[in-house]
Amino acid sequence: MFGTGLEGVLPDGSIDGADVAELREVLTDLGASSADAADFRVLAQQVAREPASLETRAAWRSEALEMMKRDEVSPADFARAQRYIARDPRVAEYLTKSGLECHPDVVRAAISFSKSAANRGLKF
């Protein structure tokens, strides 16, 4: 079987309680680079060790909103990112379950990935 190319930065067993092979596949489908996968691994390991509280999620949401305002992310760009993530139920489920759906770095990545995909002509 062919690998995703992310095995070096996201090895099996590197995130407690997660199907890392599936995460590599999902990240590859989203267009994540090795650096993106490494950054995601760090976040996923953190929430695997200590789940994000409601207060932490609220703080992340506020940070993400400030980032979008600062970076002048339009409502249409944010909606496109949400559609892009929602097209794969595995992604939406993992992000919601882990609390990472509102982490500012994850939101920024989703916006970037969806813009890149749209520029390549993908419809979602």
Side-chain angles (χ1 to χ4, degrees):
M1 177 171 211
F2 296 103
T4 64
L6 300 179
E7 290 84 356
V9 294
L10 201 56
D12 290 339
S14 61
I15 302 170
D16 290 342
D19 182 343
V20 177
E22 184 172 63
L23 285 175
R24 283 193 305 262
E25 183 180 308
V26 165
L27 289 168
T28 298
D29 290 347
L30 290 173
S33 67
S34 291
D36 296 327
D39 291 344
F40 181 78
R41 182 192 70 232
V42 170
L43 290 174
Q45 287 171 331
Q46 288 172 352
V47 297
R49 281 191 305 272
E50 185 176 338
S53 67
L54 292 177
E55 293 81 13
T56 297
R57 291 178 188 209
W60 287 346
R61 190 173 292 108
S62 292
E63 289 176 43
L65 290 171
E66 285 301 315
M67 174 272 300
M68 290 189 302
K69 189 183 304 181
R70 184 180 58 251
D71 294 351
E72 299 180 354
V73 175
S74 72
D77 287 342
F78 182 64
R80 180 185 60 217
Q82 289 178 307
R83 287 191 312 274
Y84 189 63
I85 294 300
R87 72 188 178 91
D88 187 336
R90 300 172 301 174
V91 177
E93 179 182 352
Y94 180 80
L95 292 177
T96 300
K97 182 179 172 184
S98 68
L100 290 173
E101 81 278 6
C102 53
H103 192 285
D105 293 339
V106 172
V107 172
R108 180 181 290 112
I111 292 166
S112 175
F113 295 159
S114 67
K115 183 177 182 178
S116 178
N119 287 341
R120 291 190 317 269
L122 294 177
K123 304 290 183 202
F124 43 91

